[in-house]
Structures are given as C-alpha cells and as structure tokens.
Amino acid sequence: MSARSPAGVDAVLPRGARDLLPAAARRRRAVTDALLAVFDRWGYDPVVTPAIEYFAVFGSWLAERERQRCVRFIEAGSGELVTLRSDITPQIARLAGQQLRERLAAGEAVRLCYAADVVRLSEGAREQSERHQVGVELLGDDAPEADAELILLADAALRAAGVVGATLEVADVGIARGVFERLPNCDVEALHGLLARKDAAGVARFAAGLDLAEEPRRWLGLLCELFGAPGILEHVPEDIRARWPWLAERLARLEAALALVRARAPELHARLVVDLGEVRGFDYYTGLRLRAWAPGSARPLVVGGRYAGGAGFAVELDALEVSLDATGGDKAARAGGVMIAVHGREPRLRAAAAARAEAERAAGRRAWIQAGLSLEAAQAAAAEADELVYIGADERAESWSQGQPGAWRRAEESGA
C-alpha cells in the first residue's frame, strides 16, 4: 500500500505549527526529562492539566488582548464556550482553588511542575501558535526567598538543558505600575511602548505633555535609565525613596531577593540584568518578572514571574532548542540499539530476523527490522543504531558496529 498523504493534505500546516522529525523529537524528550528531573530535585511535584477549559473560568485570568488569542469553540451537547489552553497558570490557579485549598490554608507552600503544550492565535506570520513548555508554579509563599528560589531554579533548569551562561532579566512590574497610578489620565499604552524601547527622549516628550509633580516626572525618566547589572539599584535617588514609601518597599524586596541569589550563586548574580522600567506583562504580573535570554534565539527561553496567588515560570522549549542549534549546544544522542536488516523479503529470513529482534528486546535493547535493503542502504537506514545485523542473500549474518556516525566496522560473520 502506498504511503501517500490523504487527498488535500500535502505538507501544508496551519500558520504557527510545525512537525518534529525523530532526532528533534528525541531531543525534545531528552530536554523535557532533564528539566523535570531538576524540578523534582527541588521538590516540585508533577501535575497534568486538561487541554480544554471552560472559557468563563479560564478567560477571567487573562487580559483582553490575551482572551482574544484563545482558540474557542462551542462544546457539543452543553452549548458552553470552551477554549484550548493558551497558558498553564490559570489552570494551576483553578486546580489550587478546587483541590489544594486546605494545604494552602494551613500555610503550606505548594510546589508544582508540568510539561504541556499551549495554543494561542499567532499575531504574526513568524509567531508560533503552538508552544511547548515545561514549567513550575510556587503557591503559598510570597517572600523574597521564593523569588530568589525561582531565579536560581530557572538558571539550574537551563544549565541542565544544555544552555550555559544565559542572561536572566529581573524586574518588578509593581514599580512601573505604582508610577502609572500617579499619572493623570493619559495614553498608557503609548507610554508602555516608549518604555519597552527604552526611548528616553520619547518618554521625556510624553512627560512634558502631562501636568506632573516633580517626583513622577523624574521617575518616568529614571525608568528608562535604570537598566543593567544589579548595582543599578544603588542609583535610585534617596529622596524619591524617602517620599515614596511604596517604592522603597518594592525596591527593598527586590534587593533582598537579589542578595540571596548573590549569596548562593555569585556567578549567576553577575549575569543578572535588572530592568526597573519593565512593563511587559503589566496586566498579568504583580511583582517579580523573570525572563532568560541566550544567543541564537530572538525570544526569551524563560518567561514568568509573580502573579496574584503565586509565582512561577515556563521554559519555552521551542526558543531553547533554537538557541541550542545556534550555539552548537547539546544535541540528542543517537537512539542506539540494533537494527536487523534482511537483504530480501523471504518469510524464512524475516522470521530469523524477528527472532533475533525478540532476543535483543528480551535483553533490554532497542531492536527493529528492515527488509529488502542492500548492505549500503541498510547502513544508511541504521544511522540511529549502535549495531547492524545484516542477513544477506547467502543467508549469512554479518554484524557491524557504528562508533562515529557513518563509521561502520564489521565485527563478525556467521550462519543465519
């Protein structure tokens, strides 16, 4: 039977979707396992959430822009509006409210981790609509120590996945929010854009058009300037700290978390970047904002922070793999095992190959069969194998071993 695609399905995928071939899929699994192993060592317990949710529950957690990106449909039978999950955190919040209330009410910190796919309508031709994430959520602990734990854990996770020396960007969106609350009515979205671009001149022109007190005007300018190594926090003017107790409290919390990171991981502390003008995720996060960057990827490898009720982050597998590809980072090891190849397709020879494969599997090895291949074609097909057993037309079995990819060495010859 032909292996043709069904009519009308000719290598065209929806915008933002992609396939993974075996080597990439194997690496995806290895990276996921490595991340989950790190989270397990830190005490994060795995959970699995459903791919669909009632939109009324799920959407209540999202800003309007993110609600519009949800893939929604009517549930057959009930007529209820449901959605494919576009984020895991709202599901964790629902799960916590339904099933973890007693633990949280008792003062317990609950640590959860997950590996899941999320779907959201793409906003551009190059943006993926399906994303693959492995992440953590820390509920019931809102201390600076919890923020520090997430920063340390994000770096440990990236290192376990093969990313070395990532830059971790840390912010507290409550700082920008506090400034915005002290502004008169204005185009906040436009101000968000200026701050995201670090457009100091544009922010100055924006502020000039507002009736502002001195402190808010000065602080708007500082939001563009206070970006860099953790020592940048020392540049916050003392008089503003004194006049704005809320700001002093926010800064003290951030400084406490960074001090904990410095004490436990000085090398990581040296790679931190602090951005007091961070406004992305303004409608979602309430405090710590965490992102990680590495060469090769235009998207962050880690996104997360503190929100109402908890804190967490997600490792974006697609961005992480782009970075690994660009930097020559960890690649998936060969699958290994033994391939049994038969020159022809005679039932007797195939039965002999099947018996050999069963014996290998019983011994705990990966084994599979190919029929109708020449020795050269069999060696090409056995790229993932450590060993090739080739049963030729003369019914003799040859064993070949592969050290480096494509470097086959004949090991022995015997009767089939």
Side-chain angles (χ1 to χ4, degrees), residues 94-114:
R94 174 192 51 73
L95 183 153
Q98 291 175 342
Q99 304 184 56
L100 302 175
R101 282 180 295 182
E102 292 184 2
R103 293 173 60 184
L104 293 169
E108 180 182 347
V110 177
R111 291 174 170 81
L112 305 173
C113 65
Y114 60 86

PDB file of all heavy atoms in Angstrom, residues 94-114:
ATOM      1  N   ARG A  94      -6.962  27.415  39.028  1.00  0.00           N
ATOM      2  CA  ARG A  94      -8.216  26.679  39.200  1.00  0.00           C
ATOM      3  C   ARG A  94      -7.997  25.416  40.020  1.00  0.00           C
ATOM      4  O   ARG A  94      -8.748  25.114  40.957  1.00  0.00           O
ATOM      5  CB  ARG A  94      -8.804  26.317  37.829  1.00  0.00           C
ATOM      6  CG  ARG A  94     -10.044  25.431  37.943  1.00  0.00           C
ATOM      7  CD  ARG A  94     -10.444  24.835  36.612  1.00  0.00           C
ATOM      8  NE  ARG A  94      -9.386  24.180  35.896  1.00  0.00           N
ATOM      9  CZ  ARG A  94      -8.861  22.991  36.233  1.00  0.00           C
ATOM     10  NH1 ARG A  94      -9.277  22.353  37.315  1.00  0.00           N
ATOM     11  NH2 ARG A  94      -7.894  22.464  35.502  1.00  0.00           N
ATOM     12  N   LEU A  95      -6.955  24.674  39.680  1.00  0.00           N
ATOM     13  CA  LEU A  95      -6.646  23.443  40.390  1.00  0.00           C
ATOM     14  C   LEU A  95      -6.402  23.718  41.873  1.00  0.00           C
ATOM     15  O   LEU A  95      -6.874  22.990  42.750  1.00  0.00           O
ATOM     16  CB  LEU A  95      -5.432  22.785  39.736  1.00  0.00           C
ATOM     17  CG  LEU A  95      -4.946  21.439  40.242  1.00  0.00           C
ATOM     18  CD1 LEU A  95      -4.246  20.691  39.105  1.00  0.00           C
ATOM     19  CD2 LEU A  95      -3.981  21.593  41.397  1.00  0.00           C
ATOM     20  N   ALA A  96      -5.653  24.790  42.158  1.00  0.00           N
ATOM     21  CA  ALA A  96      -5.359  25.126  43.548  1.00  0.00           C
ATOM     22  C   ALA A  96      -6.632  25.478  44.310  1.00  0.00           C
ATOM     23  O   ALA A  96      -6.822  25.061  45.462  1.00  0.00           O
ATOM     24  CB  ALA A  96      -4.375  26.295  43.602  1.00  0.00           C
ATOM     25  N   GLY A  97      -7.521  26.252  43.659  1.00  0.00           N
ATOM     26  CA  GLY A  97      -8.756  26.629  44.324  1.00  0.00           C
ATOM     27  C   GLY A  97      -9.687  25.455  44.571  1.00  0.00           C
ATOM     28  O   GLY A  97     -10.406  25.408  45.570  1.00  0.00           O
ATOM     29  N   GLN A  98      -9.653  24.478  43.677  1.00  0.00           N
ATOM     30  CA  GLN A  98     -10.552  23.333  43.799  1.00  0.00           C
ATOM     31  C   GLN A  98     -10.009  22.241  44.713  1.00  0.00           C
ATOM     32  O   GLN A  98     -10.763  21.613  45.454  1.00  0.00           O
ATOM     33  CB  GLN A  98     -10.809  22.733  42.411  1.00  0.00           C
ATOM     34  CG  GLN A  98     -11.650  23.620  41.501  1.00  0.00           C
ATOM     35  CD  GLN A  98     -11.762  23.038  40.099  1.00  0.00           C
ATOM     36  OE1 GLN A  98     -10.978  22.182  39.694  1.00  0.00           O
ATOM     37  NE2 GLN A  98     -12.748  23.511  39.341  1.00  0.00           N
ATOM     38  N   GLN A  99      -8.704  21.987  44.666  1.00  0.00           N
ATOM     39  CA  GLN A  99      -8.174  20.792  45.298  1.00  0.00           C
ATOM     40  C   GLN A  99      -7.026  21.013  46.283  1.00  0.00           C
ATOM     41  O   GLN A  99      -6.618  20.064  46.961  1.00  0.00           O
ATOM     42  CB  GLN A  99      -7.700  19.813  44.214  1.00  0.00           C
ATOM     43  CG  GLN A  99      -8.815  19.462  43.221  1.00  0.00           C
ATOM     44  CD  GLN A  99      -8.374  18.427  42.204  1.00  0.00           C
ATOM     45  OE1 GLN A  99      -7.929  17.342  42.567  1.00  0.00           O
ATOM     46  NE2 GLN A  99      -8.492  18.773  40.936  1.00  0.00           N
ATOM     47  N   LEU A 100      -6.495  22.206  46.351  1.00  0.00           N
ATOM     48  CA  LEU A 100      -5.346  22.441  47.228  1.00  0.00           C
ATOM     49  C   LEU A 100      -5.624  23.480  48.302  1.00  0.00           C
ATOM     50  O   LEU A 100      -4.717  23.930  48.991  1.00  0.00           O
ATOM     51  CB  LEU A 100      -4.136  22.892  46.384  1.00  0.00           C
ATOM     52  CG  LEU A 100      -3.693  21.931  45.274  1.00  0.00           C
ATOM     53  CD1 LEU A 100      -2.583  22.565  44.449  1.00  0.00           C
ATOM     54  CD2 LEU A 100      -3.228  20.607  45.866  1.00  0.00           C
ATOM     55  N   ARG A 101      -6.884  23.858  48.468  1.00  0.00           N
ATOM     56  CA  ARG A 101      -7.217  24.944  49.397  1.00  0.00           C
ATOM     57  C   ARG A 101      -6.788  24.628  50.828  1.00  0.00           C
ATOM     58  O   ARG A 101      -6.279  25.496  51.534  1.00  0.00           O
ATOM     59  CB  ARG A 101      -8.717  25.226  49.347  1.00  0.00           C
ATOM     60  CG  ARG A 101      -9.143  26.029  48.135  1.00  0.00           C
ATOM     61  CD  ARG A 101     -10.627  26.285  48.142  1.00  0.00           C
ATOM     62  NE  ARG A 101     -11.394  25.038  48.015  1.00  0.00           N
ATOM     63  CZ  ARG A 101     -12.713  24.978  47.951  1.00  0.00           C
ATOM     64  NH1 ARG A 101     -13.415  26.089  48.031  1.00  0.00           N
ATOM     65  NH2 ARG A 101     -13.331  23.812  47.814  1.00  0.00           N
ATOM     66  N   GLU A 102      -6.989  23.389  51.262  1.00  0.00           N
ATOM     67  CA  GLU A 102      -6.665  23.060  52.650  1.00  0.00           C
ATOM     68  C   GLU A 102      -5.167  23.145  52.900  1.00  0.00           C
ATOM     69  O   GLU A 102      -4.735  23.634  53.952  1.00  0.00           O
ATOM     70  CB  GLU A 102      -7.178  21.659  52.983  1.00  0.00           C
ATOM     71  CG  GLU A 102      -8.710  21.574  53.022  1.00  0.00           C
ATOM     72  CD  GLU A 102      -9.183  20.196  53.456  1.00  0.00           C
ATOM     73  OE1 GLU A 102      -8.331  19.336  53.761  1.00  0.00           O
ATOM     74  OE2 GLU A 102     -10.415  19.982  53.485  1.00  0.00           O
ATOM     75  N   ARG A 103      -4.382  22.677  51.961  1.00  0.00           N
ATOM     76  CA  ARG A 103      -2.928  22.757  52.137  1.00  0.00           C
ATOM     77  C   ARG A 103      -2.464  24.204  52.187  1.00  0.00           C
ATOM     78  O   ARG A 103      -1.625  24.579  53.013  1.00  0.00           O
ATOM     79  CB  ARG A 103      -2.237  22.016  50.996  1.00  0.00           C
ATOM     80  CG  ARG A 103      -2.465  20.514  51.002  1.00  0.00           C
ATOM     81  CD  ARG A 103      -1.894  19.860  49.765  1.00  0.00           C
ATOM     82  NE  ARG A 103      -0.451  20.073  49.658  1.00  0.00           N
ATOM     83  CZ  ARG A 103       0.273  19.668  48.608  1.00  0.00           C
ATOM     84  NH1 ARG A 103      -0.331  19.054  47.588  1.00  0.00           N
ATOM     85  NH2 ARG A 103       1.568  19.887  48.573  1.00  0.00           N
ATOM     86  N   LEU A 104      -3.003  25.024  51.313  1.00  0.00           N
ATOM     87  CA  LEU A 104      -2.605  26.430  51.291  1.00  0.00           C
ATOM     88  C   LEU A 104      -3.107  27.156  52.523  1.00  0.00           C
ATOM     89  O   LEU A 104      -2.403  27.998  53.100  1.00  0.00           O
ATOM     90  CB  LEU A 104      -3.132  27.091  50.017  1.00  0.00           C
ATOM     91  CG  LEU A 104      -2.491  26.581  48.706  1.00  0.00           C
ATOM     92  CD1 LEU A 104      -3.273  27.090  47.504  1.00  0.00           C
ATOM     93  CD2 LEU A 104      -1.030  27.008  48.623  1.00  0.00           C
ATOM     94  N   ALA A 105      -4.338  26.833  52.971  1.00  0.00           N
ATOM     95  CA  ALA A 105      -4.888  27.472  54.168  1.00  0.00           C
ATOM     96  C   ALA A 105      -4.086  27.121  55.407  1.00  0.00           C
ATOM     97  O   ALA A 105      -4.010  27.909  56.365  1.00  0.00           O
ATOM     98  CB  ALA A 105      -6.347  27.061  54.358  1.00  0.00           C
ATOM     99  N   ALA A 106      -3.440  25.954  55.407  1.00  0.00           N
ATOM    100  CA  ALA A 106      -2.624  25.540  56.543  1.00  0.00           C
ATOM    101  C   ALA A 106      -1.244  26.190  56.539  1.00  0.00           C
ATOM    102  O   ALA A 106      -0.443  25.937  57.443  1.00  0.00           O
ATOM    103  CB  ALA A 106      -2.477  24.020  56.545  1.00  0.00           C
ATOM    104  N   GLY A 107      -0.976  26.998  55.523  1.00  0.00           N
ATOM    105  CA  GLY A 107       0.308  27.698  55.462  1.00  0.00           C
ATOM    106  C   GLY A 107       1.377  26.957  54.686  1.00  0.00           C
ATOM    107  O   GLY A 107       2.539  27.360  54.682  1.00  0.00           O
ATOM    108  N   GLU A 108       0.984  25.880  53.999  1.00  0.00           N
ATOM    109  CA  GLU A 108       1.962  25.088  53.249  1.00  0.00           C
ATOM    110  C   GLU A 108       2.293  25.770  51.927  1.00  0.00           C
ATOM    111  O   GLU A 108       1.412  26.297  51.242  1.00  0.00           O
ATOM    112  CB  GLU A 108       1.390  23.704  52.983  1.00  0.00           C
ATOM    113  CG  GLU A 108       2.325  22.788  52.201  1.00  0.00           C
ATOM    114  CD  GLU A 108       1.699  21.439  51.917  1.00  0.00           C
ATOM    115  OE1 GLU A 108       0.651  21.115  52.529  1.00  0.00           O
ATOM    116  OE2 GLU A 108       2.243  20.708  51.071  1.00  0.00           O
ATOM    117  N   ALA A 109       3.565  25.756  51.573  1.00  0.00           N
ATOM    118  CA  ALA A 109       3.973  26.183  50.234  1.00  0.00           C
ATOM    119  C   ALA A 109       3.848  24.980  49.307  1.00  0.00           C
ATOM    120  O   ALA A 109       4.393  23.913  49.585  1.00  0.00           O
ATOM    121  CB  ALA A 109       5.405  26.693  50.246  1.00  0.00           C
ATOM    122  N   VAL A 110       3.115  25.137  48.221  1.00  0.00           N
ATOM    123  CA  VAL A 110       2.862  24.050  47.287  1.00  0.00           C
ATOM    124  C   VAL A 110       3.692  24.284  46.025  1.00  0.00           C
ATOM    125  O   VAL A 110       3.595  25.335  45.399  1.00  0.00           O
ATOM    126  CB  VAL A 110       1.370  23.959  46.933  1.00  0.00           C
ATOM    127  CG1 VAL A 110       1.131  22.868  45.898  1.00  0.00           C
ATOM    128  CG2 VAL A 110       0.545  23.695  48.190  1.00  0.00           C
ATOM    129  N   ARG A 111       4.501  23.285  45.688  1.00  0.00           N
ATOM    130  CA  ARG A 111       5.362  23.375  44.510  1.00  0.00           C
ATOM    131  C   ARG A 111       4.886  22.371  43.466  1.00  0.00           C
ATOM    132  O   ARG A 111       4.806  21.177  43.732  1.00  0.00           O
ATOM    133  CB  ARG A 111       6.817  23.085  44.888  1.00  0.00           C
ATOM    134  CG  ARG A 111       7.451  24.175  45.741  1.00  0.00           C
ATOM    135  CD  ARG A 111       8.845  23.780  46.213  1.00  0.00           C
ATOM    136  NE  ARG A 111       9.531  24.901  46.813  1.00  0.00           N
ATOM    137  CZ  ARG A 111       9.359  25.314  48.067  1.00  0.00           C
ATOM    138  NH1 ARG A 111       8.508  24.656  48.860  1.00  0.00           N
ATOM    139  NH2 ARG A 111      10.012  26.347  48.535  1.00  0.00           N
ATOM    140  N   LEU A 112       4.584  22.867  42.276  1.00  0.00           N
ATOM    141  CA  LEU A 112       4.061  22.039  41.198  1.00  0.00           C
ATOM    142  C   LEU A 112       4.876  22.267  39.930  1.00  0.00           C
ATOM    143  O   LEU A 112       5.419  23.366  39.717  1.00  0.00           O
ATOM    144  CB  LEU A 112       2.597  22.372  40.913  1.00  0.00           C
ATOM    145  CG  LEU A 112       1.632  22.285  42.103  1.00  0.00           C
ATOM    146  CD1 LEU A 112       0.254  22.796  41.705  1.00  0.00           C
ATOM    147  CD2 LEU A 112       1.556  20.860  42.646  1.00  0.00           C
ATOM    148  N   CYS A 113       4.957  21.231  39.095  1.00  0.00           N
ATOM    149  CA  CYS A 113       5.626  21.382  37.805  1.00  0.00           C
ATOM    150  C   CYS A 113       4.815  20.671  36.730  1.00  0.00           C
ATOM    151  O   CYS A 113       3.936  19.851  37.028  1.00  0.00           O
ATOM    152  CB  CYS A 113       7.065  20.856  37.853  1.00  0.00           C
ATOM    153  SG  CYS A 113       7.216  19.083  38.131  1.00  0.00           S
ATOM    154  N   TYR A 114       5.096  20.975  35.489  1.00  0.00           N
ATOM    155  CA  TYR A 114       4.303  20.439  34.383  1.00  0.00           C
ATOM    156  C   TYR A 114       5.119  20.451  33.096  1.00  0.00           C
ATOM    157  O   TYR A 114       6.117  21.183  32.970  1.00  0.00           O
ATOM    158  CB  TYR A 114       3.035  21.275  34.177  1.00  0.00           C
ATOM    159  CG  TYR A 114       3.340  22.720  33.863  1.00  0.00           C
ATOM    160  CD1 TYR A 114       3.590  23.139  32.559  1.00  0.00           C
ATOM    161  CD2 TYR A 114       3.416  23.678  34.881  1.00  0.00           C
ATOM    162  CE1 TYR A 114       3.895  24.460  32.270  1.00  0.00           C
ATOM    163  CE2 TYR A 114       3.723  25.002  34.607  1.00  0.00           C
ATOM    164  CZ  TYR A 114       3.958  25.388  33.300  1.00  0.00           C
ATOM    165  OH  TYR A 114       4.275  26.694  33.023  1.00  0.00           O
TER     166      TYR A 114
END
